[in-house]
Each structure stands twice: as C-alpha cells, then as structure tokens.
Amino acid sequence: MALKLPSFKFLNPSISTIRSPPLLRKFSSSSSSLPVSASGTTLREASPASNSVSLGQLTRPDFPILHQTINNGSKLVYLDNAATSQKPISVLKALQEYYESYNSNVHRGIHYLSAKATEKYELAREKVAAFINAEESREIVFTRNATEAINLVAYSWGFTNLKSGDEVVLTIAEHHSAIVPWQFVAQKTGAVLKFVDLNEDEVADVVQLKEMISSKTKLVVVHHISNTLASSLPIQDIVHWAHAVEAKVLVDACQSVPHMPVDVRDLDADFLVASSHKMCGPTGVGFLYGKSDILSTMPPFLGGGEMISDVFLDHSTYAEPPSRFEAGTPAIGEVIGLGAAIDYLQGIGMQKIHEYEMELANYLYENLSTVNNIRIYGPKPSKGVDRAALCSFNVKNIHPTDIATFLDQQHGVAIRSGHHCAQPLHRYLGINASARASLHFYNTKEDVDYFIHALNDTVNFFDSFK
Amino acid sequence: MYTSTASTISSMKTTISPSPNPIKKETFPPFENTKRLSFSSFKSLKCIHSPPSNPKRLTSCAAFTLSPSLTTKLVPSKLPHLITEFESLSQPIDLVKRLLQYAALLAPLPDSSRVDSNRVMGCTAQVWLEVELDEYGKIMLWADSDSEITRGFCACLVLVLDGTPPEEVLNVTAEDLAALNIGLHGGARSRVNTWHNVLVSMQKRVRILVAERDRKKDFDPFSSLIVSSDGVQAKGRYAEAQIRIKANKFSSY
C-alpha cells in the first residue's frame, strides 16, 4: 500500500489476530470466566504476561464492523465511541428478526403480528427500566434520542413550571443539547440560566454549583460523565442539594449509561436521559426516565396518535405516561434492538465493563501523555479521581482536524475532532476545537498502542511541514 | 522543501477564447517571479492575493500568481487543471502533501479579517472568507483556516475561482470537485465537507455582491418581477430562477 511514511514502523502485529472465540459468541451469565480483574486495578497491576484475554479481545468477535480494512488497507481502529458505539450481532439479528417476522404497528391492531410487536416493544421498555433500576417501566419514555428527551422535559415540564426570575443551574461542560432547549425556555419564560465553571482540576466545580443553588433554583441540569473532560459529577450530592430547595434535577447520562452501572433510585434524580446508539443499540431511539409522579403532571410535548385518550374537535384528553409522550408510531424495531443491546450488555455485566474501561482509561491517559507537546483536557487521574475512557486533547500547533484527517487516511484510526457539541466548554478552555479518542469495552490496549504510534507519526508528518 | 523548482508550462494561457477583459487584477511586479512552484499544471502562479487597496492583501503573500488568465464562460478553466493534477497523485498521502503545499502558498488573512462575520460555518475547523468584486466585475477571493489541510482546500478554491466572473463561481458545485478525490467525507454535501461548506459560503457572498451591484445599477431595491410594456422582467434571484426554469431547465446565465 506504500502509504506509510518512512519513519513509520508497523505496529503491534498481534492486534488483529484474535480470532479464537467463535464469531457468534454470546455473552450470558456463563461468561463468568472472563479474566478481567474484578478489583478495578490499575494498568500496571493488571498486565501480567499471562494468557489472560481481555474483555476487549473477548467481545470483538461480536462486532463484525470492527473487522475491516479501510483507506488503502489500514485496519480500522474505531475510537469514536463517545459519538456512537458499534452494534453486536445480537442487536443486528433482533432488528432483522423484527422486520422479517413480526413487523407491525404497536398498541393498535388486535392481530397476531401487532400483538407480538407490542409485546416486544413493551418488553424493551421493561428491560430499560430494569437496566437503570427504575421502579416501574412506565417511568421510561422512548424518544428519538437523548436530545429529544431533554427537549421533551424543556417544552413540557419547563414551560409549565418555569417563570420569570426562576433559575436553571447548568455547567459550562454540558452538551449543546442540554443547553439550547433551556435557552429556548429561558427566552420565552424569563427564567435565568446560571452556569457553573470548571475548577482547577478541569472538572465542573461542584462547590460553586452547591453555592449557586438557592430558593430561586427550579432545575439543575448536569452531565453524569463529561463527553469532553471524561470527568464525572457526584449526582447524589447534587440531587440532595437541589431537593433541599425543591428543585428538580435532570441528568444527562449519555456517557455513563453505556459504560457503568447506573441506578436511578440510587441517584434519586428526577429526570435522566440516555441514547440507544451510544450503548450498542440502534440509532433513532433514546429514552427519558422520569419519576412517575412528575411525568403524570406534565402536559404532552407532541400531539398526535397514541398520546391521546379521547379527541374531540376542540380538545382532547391525554393518555397516561408514557403514552402521553409517545405521539405517533415509534421506532419499534429500533426499540426492540435497544432491548437486545441491553441483554448483551447485561450478559457481560456493567460492573465488569466499567472495571475494564477504567483500566483502558488509565492506559490511554498514561500513553497519550507521552506524546510531545500534547495537552489532555480534564482531570489528571489519581487516587479518587477516575476518568472515563476518553481523552480530548490538542497537540501544539497542529489543528485537531488535521490530526483526525491524517489518522484516518494514513492509519485507519477513527477519532473525533471539533468542539464535540460543547462550544461553551471549548471557549472556556481557550480553544476552538480538540481531538477526542473515546473507547468502549470492545477496544483493547493494542488499539491504544496503535493509536499512540499513529498519532506520533501524524505529529511527525505535520512537524515536517513547518 | 517543495518550493524550488520552477516549472512554467503555460497551458493556462492557451485554453481560452478571447475575452474583452483580458486582464484580471493587477499584477505586482515586486511579487512576480519571486517564488515559483513545481506543481504540474499550475505554472506561473503568482500570489492569488494580489493587492492594493487593502494592506492586508500584501501580508506575507507567498508570492505565487495566477497568470492573468482569460476565463472560460462557464466552468472555471482552472478546475480541470487542478483535477488533472490531483488525479496524477495515486497515494492519499501525496494528496495530503499537495494540499499542504497549496496551504503554504496561501497568504494568511490578518486578524482583522479573521472575525466571526467572515466565518464559514461548519463543525470541525474554522474558515474565514472574504469576497469582493473588482472593477471589472470579477470575483476576488481571500480565504484562510486554522487547519492546514483546510487551508489547502481554501487555496485550491481561491486558485480556481479567484478572478472569475460571478457566474462561474455560482456554477460550480461540490460534485464538480469530487474528481479531486480528497476531502469529500460523507458525500459532497456532508457538513464536514470543506469543499461544500466553503463553496456554498462563497456563492452566497457572491450572490449578495452581485445583487448589491445590480441594485446600485438599477436603483431598484426590491426583488420582483417588473411588468412593463416590454414584457416581464425578473429582478432578484428567486424571480430570475423562476423565469429561467420556465425558459430552459438547463439554461445557464
């Protein structure tokens, strides 16, 4: 292929050689033999030169998309999981099975296919509820994505409950989708948005957040894990502070639900949103968790079929949640696919995924730190400070888009560049853009090694043009 | 490393039919011949960003000049040359290198021009764009980016479109650039496609400039159809488009 630079030596030959597990390996409770240490050990402790097979190596065969060469023969190394995750075969099969054997509209027909589709659709709702430990499945509203879930809360709860002078507390590290809907609400109602800055560790400042919460506060909107900083927030504490002034809390859990156990009863948050496509499920589906007593008081967001009880020409009566918020035909097959994704994740175990990803997170951070002139954003990992398995970074004098372009074209490494839909945060950091490598449980240390080597080559290439 | 050898094939000059406005902008003796490039089809390139009225245009002109070319009527004549050049590069890394070489030739815009009002909206890198009409009604372009690869795209667009009549700029589509075989992530209309974003932004500004010019000419501030004893005449883009579509689906300016 002749596109490697002279300086470039080919990397770890062992990367793509893991073919041992049968392609359709399913994770069930029987996969307890996974060698991943259950103690959340750090990299150095966890890398004995034994025959141990990592969770990444074990699960890769379940993801056909990972086994391909792109751009002139480079092996694909997919490190853009914070943007979207890949889908295991079981999810693909669930989608195919739905469309092949029981595609039909839900909650409508009495015929066999409709009954089956409805049953599977509602079963998926129960799976989501169980996955995040909601009390009951009617606390789960399916939406198109997490963005729509936040908009639902903004338009339904926000317009009903916020008035001039009320305050919504957010952090500057929120994704645009958790900021913009509240700007709409604020503009129309006169409510005020107050933003928490970062502290010296480059984590949203919870001390400031606590001080910002007052009797004027009606809502706190925070991320669980930052998609740029890789930091996490103490949701339980935040909820406690907010509830003390009778404010509600909305948690953007898009970057936590796919990677760690999340228990909404434990967190006690009033609303929590996540998206299917980041947790190995299909695109086109997200969900809102809302405490039932709150959902029951909220007016509909979109009007249409499904969400009504009775329609007259001048008014309608609304169905109970969650139907009230699911106007029109939902993404049935995709919801069922999300259910299959949850089965898959639970087959592995979220705690196991979390521990393995912590190990990867440290490995990524340590190795990335060795690259010349690199600046990694967010907290430095240390005792008591865990980072998620992603790093946003910049290399001095090279635009992140140039880095991402070269990594893709020359090395088949997929990372993200840009502002990751967190412009206020980037502005705060004094940058316009950053590059981001984000991992999931099917990534391996070999992926990280390959990425670091490719990044060094990329930096050398651009430096040679200066 | 990529600047020295001069190669001055002059096919550019031979391509076109005579035009009443043979020369585009000014040539600048101080900058001519200072630095020639070896790129195959673009011979005596001179600083795209020539000149005068505005001091910013003098800033670090990398000193290559388009030969004051005559222009074709529709598709910018320089585009096929650029495509030929890029097609000769089979390895992706060579395409990237070539883009970076072009980037190095593009004079950076001064900070006063790197402002939000000149931004091309897109997601991954910042691009700034300035468009003016010269005294002959030709388009003058300046572009810059904080990404080197994107600067390369900008340089190519400036090279191809600078000094052409507005119609030529408006006629180019991102699909026309597909043959360059680089930078078309996710299809010609993807939001990360720099060609598309910059091109569309250029065209929007060209339309505004043309509209402003025509408005001054006609003293008619309104887009409309003028109904008179001579018939119906279109004023404004939308009205023109309507007329044109009726007259001939494929008609061009």
Side-chain angles (χ1 to χ4, degrees):
Chain A
M1 53 189 183
L3 42 83
K4 303 300 172 198
L5 297 176
S7 65
F8 185 81
K9 275 196 190 163
F10 224 68
L11 306 173
N12 212 323
S14 67
I15 296 170
S16 58
T17 55
I18 308 131
R19 294 184 181 275
S20 35
L23 196 62
L24 236 175
R25 184 187 186 95
K26 286 237 178 183
F27 275 96
S28 62
S29 49
S30 66
S31 61
S32 57
S33 60
L34 289 180
V36 179
S37 154
S39 57
T41 51
T42 64
L43 159 69
R44 283 182 176 73
E45 291 162 327
S47 51
S50 68
N51 300 331
S52 69
V53 182
S54 73
L55 182 59
Q57 289 165 325
L58 269 176
T59 52
R60 290 178 68 77
D62 297 334
F63 295 82
I65 199 170
L66 299 175
H67 309 279
Q68 61 177 305
T69 54
I70 57 167
N71 293 342
N72 306 294
S74 302
K75 190 179 76 69
L76 170 68
V77 175
Y78 184 78
L79 304 181
D80 194 18
N81 294 285
T84 200
S85 64
Q86 299 304 346
K87 323 304 173 200
I89 290 170
S90 60
V91 170
L92 307 180
K93 285 185 78 173
L95 280 169
Q96 186 167 8
E97 192 192 344
Y98 165 72
Y99 284 113
E100 263 181 13
S101 63
Y102 61 98
N103 169 50
S104 193
N105 213 330
V106 289
H107 304 138
R108 309 263 201 293
I110 52 153
H111 55 80
Y112 173 82
L113 293 187
S114 178
K116 185 166 183 189
T118 304
E119 184 195 328
K120 295 276 190 179
Y121 179 82
E122 288 304 324
L123 182 61
R125 197 190 306 276
E126 284 169 26
K127 287 176 183 176
V128 173
F131 190 60
I132 60 169
N133 198 29
E135 262 176 66
E136 39 192 358
S137 64
R138 65 192 175 104
E139 292 178 315
I140 305 299
V141 179
F142 286 122
T143 56
R144 279 188 302 154
N145 44 43
T147 298
E148 188 179 83
I150 297 171
N151 275 274
L152 193 168
V153 179
Y155 280 84
S156 173
W157 184 89
F159 278 117
T160 312
N161 291 283
L162 295 176
K163 57 183 190 309
S164 182
D166 287 346
E167 293 180 354
V168 178
V169 174
L170 314 92
T171 84
I172 60 156
E174 299 313 315
H175 191 279
H176 292 167
S177 63
I179 296 177
V180 180
W182 300 107
Q183 290 177 333
F184 292 159
V185 175
Q187 281 160 9
K188 292 226 168 113
T189 62
V192 178
L193 307 187
K194 300 193 81 173
F195 288 91
V196 172
D197 292 327
L198 305 188
N199 64 20
E200 63 277 8
D201 297 326
E202 286 189 349
V203 179
D205 189 341
V206 287
V207 176
Q208 189 190 10
L209 187 147
K210 187 180 179 185
E211 287 166 1
M212 213 175 256
I213 293 175
S214 73
S215 57
K216 289 182 183 171
T217 309
K218 293 293 175 286
L219 178 70
V220 178
V221 179
V222 284
H223 59 272
H224 195 182
I225 303 281
S226 163
N227 75 329
T228 306
L229 301 169
S231 55
S232 60
L233 287 176
I235 300 299
Q236 280 167 311
D237 293 344
I238 293 169
V239 169
H240 183 71
W241 303 329
H243 284 177
V245 297
E246 296 182 348
K248 307 294 184 212
V249 177
L250 186 158
V251 178
D252 171 359
C254 287
Q255 300 293 343
S256 60
V257 165
H259 302 283
M260 60 192 275
V262 171
D263 182 330
V264 289
R265 272 188 269 185
D266 215 23
L267 298 176
D268 198 26
D270 303 287
F271 302 108
L272 180 140
V273 303
S275 64
S276 157
H277 72 90
K278 285 181 167 59
M279 52 193 286
C280 300
T283 53
V285 188
F287 66 84
L288 164 69
Y289 157 82
K291 286 179 177 169
S292 13
D293 57 330
I294 305 176
L295 288 180
S296 300
T297 64
M298 286 164 50
F301 167 43
L302 300 171
E306 186 73 32
M307 46 72 70
I308 39 79
S309 180
D310 289 300
V311 175
F312 304 91
L313 285 184
D314 58 346
H315 77 283
S316 301
T317 54
Y318 305 124
E320 285 302 304
S323 301
R324 186 185 298 172
F325 304 108
E326 293 181 7
T329 299
I332 303 162
E334 290 69 17
V335 164
I336 292 166
L338 168 59
I342 287 174
D343 289 342
Y344 180 83
L345 294 173
Q346 285 191 318
I348 302 171
M350 291 312 293
Q351 187 57 33
K352 193 167 275 174
I353 287 175
H354 181 56
E355 284 159 8
Y356 175 64
E357 289 194 16
M358 287 298 93
E359 189 183 321
L360 278 185
N362 288 333
Y363 191 73
L364 173 67
Y365 192 93
E366 284 177 22
N367 285 279
L368 196 57
S369 304
T370 65
V371 174
N372 282 340
N373 293 319
I374 198 161
R375 163 88 157 83
I376 305 172
Y377 303 102
K380 288 189 173 57
S382 65
K383 280 205 174 107
V385 179
D386 284 333
R387 284 178 59 101
L390 67 90
C391 283
S392 300
F393 62 94
N394 268 308
V395 177
K396 200 174 175 187
N397 295 329
I398 308 178
H399 196 281
T401 297
D402 292 347
I403 291 176
T405 303
F406 196 85
L407 280 174
D408 170 61
Q409 287 218 328
Q410 286 307 111
H411 300 292
V413 178
I415 66 164
R416 173 81 191 265
S417 79
H419 49 58
H420 322 310
C421 294
Q423 269 188 314
L425 174 60
H426 278 74
R427 230 169 260 135
Y428 182 89
L429 293 168
I431 52 177
N432 294 307
S434 61
R436 182 185 66 192
S438 54
L439 313 179
H440 215 158
F441 60 85
Y442 43 73
N443 286 118
T444 60
K445 288 180 181 172
E446 288 81 6
D447 287 342
V448 175
D449 292 340
Y450 188 97
F451 162 59
I452 300 295
H453 201 129
L455 179 60
N456 277 318
D457 178 61
T458 303
V459 172
N460 291 339
F461 174 81
F462 284 102
D463 281 350
S464 75
F465 271 80
K466 286 180 186 140
Chain B
M1 71 206 234
Y2 41 78
T3 55
S4 50
T5 36
S7 121
T8 44
I9 318 155
S10 54
S11 59
M12 297 283 311
K13 296 179 181 169
T14 65
T15 46
I16 322 306
S17 57
S19 149
N21 279 338
I23 303 303
K24 74 161 206 178
K25 313 178 201 165
E26 349 39 31
T27 49
F28 265 84
F31 292 108
E32 282 193 327
N33 301 322
T34 48
K35 193 173 175 187
R36 296 279 168 112
L37 300 172
S38 59
F39 303 157
S40 51
S41 44
F42 289 113
K43 3 323 184 102
S44 54
L45 304 165
K46 80 181 175 199
C47 179
I48 316 175
H49 298 158
S50 13
S53 54
N54 188 340
K56 77 190 171 208
R57 296 174 202 164
L58 293 170
T59 52
S60 78
C61 173
F64 75 112
T65 310
L66 283 180
S67 47
S69 63
L70 311 168
T71 50
T72 52
K73 277 197 175 156
L74 298 175
V75 180
S77 61
K78 296 154 204 155
L79 183 56
H81 292 269
L82 193 67
I83 289 172
T84 307
E85 179 184 349
F86 274 66
E87 280 175 345
S88 74
L89 303 167
S90 58
Q91 295 302 326
I93 194 167
D94 295 327
L95 288 165
V96 176
K97 283 181 180 169
R98 184 58 53 95
L99 275 181
L100 293 179
Q101 288 164 345
Y102 274 111
L105 295 169
L106 189 66
L109 281 174
D111 287 346
S112 58
S113 294
R114 291 165 73 121
V115 293
D116 280 352
S117 55
N118 285 335
R119 280 276 305 279
V120 173
M121 286 309 149
C123 224
T124 58
Q126 296 187 99
V127 176
W128 299 271
L129 179 65
E130 287 196 304
V131 184
E132 290 177 19
L133 277 177
D134 73 8
E135 54 192 303
Y136 304 106
K138 302 284 176 63
I139 294 298
M140 296 193 292
L141 292 171
W142 297 266
D144 200 356
S145 172
D146 55 352
S147 144
E148 278 303 297
I149 290 177
T150 306
R151 273 174 56 77
F153 290 130
C154 291
C156 290
L157 284 172
V158 170
L159 203 59
V160 167
L161 297 175
D162 188 52
T164 60
E167 300 75 39
E168 289 191 16
V169 178
L170 297 177
N171 273 346
V172 177
T173 65
E175 286 80 5
D176 293 332
L177 303 166
L180 293 169
N181 197 29
I182 187 167
L184 291 165
H185 311 286
R189 289 181 181 276
S190 159
R191 67 175 172 169
V192 296
N193 181 337
T194 307
W195 294 122
H196 179 253
N197 289 343
V198 179
L199 182 65
V200 165
S201 196
M202 280 181 180
Q203 290 172 332
K204 204 185 280 177
R205 283 157 212 241
V206 165
R207 282 192 198 101
I208 291 169
L209 286 173
V210 169
E212 278 172 1
R213 180 193 64 189
D214 293 349
R215 200 178 300 151
K216 275 179 200 155
K217 223 188 270 175
D218 301 340
F219 302 102
D220 175 12
F222 301 105
S223 294
S224 59
L225 289 175
I226 308 292
V227 184
S228 67
S229 55
D230 300 331
V232 178
Q233 198 188 353
K235 291 284 175 193
R237 261 190 66 223
Y238 179 74
E240 282 169 16
Q242 294 300 304
I243 294 289
R244 209 180 316 123
I245 288 164
K246 269 188 196 160
N248 176 355
K249 206 168 148 192
F250 299 104
S251 83
S252 38
Y253 304 89

